């Protein structure tokens, strides 16, 4: 199962439609049922910008 969270507004412009309504979102897998017992479970966290105007996703790499 996946869960999606809105992290914030990055303040950049969409490259496809030119809209400023980009929302920074995080998508990650959540442990369910037998996956809770599996020690090698990978969370597989993905962060992307979602445009509210054209619904395009732009991948984002977080730098620590």
């Amino acid at each position: 199962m996946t869960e999606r969270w809105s992290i914030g507004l990055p303040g950049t412009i969409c490259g496809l439609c030119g809209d400023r309504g980009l929302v920074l979102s995080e998508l990650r897998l959540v442990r369910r049922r037998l996956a809770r017992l599996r020690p090698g479970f990978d969370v597989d966290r993905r962060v992307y910008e979602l445009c509210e105007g054209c619904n395009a996703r732009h991948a984002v790499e977080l730098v620590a």
Side-chain angles (χ1 to χ4, degrees), residues 40-51:
F41 180 79
D42 186 18
V43 177
D44 190 30
R45 179 179 172 207
R46 297 179 188 164
V47 178
Y48 58 90
E49 294 173 335
L50 178 66
C51 179

Side-chain angles (χ1 to χ4, degrees), residues 5-6 8-9 11 15-17 19 21-22 25 27 31 35-36 42 46 57-58 60-61:
W5 292 279
S6 292
L9 301 171
L16 295 175
C17 68
D19 192 17
L22 290 177
S25 299
L27 181 73
R31 290 183 185 216
R36 292 181 188 159
D42 186 18
R46 297 179 188 164
R57 286 186 186 181
H58 307 282
V60 174
E61 291 188 27

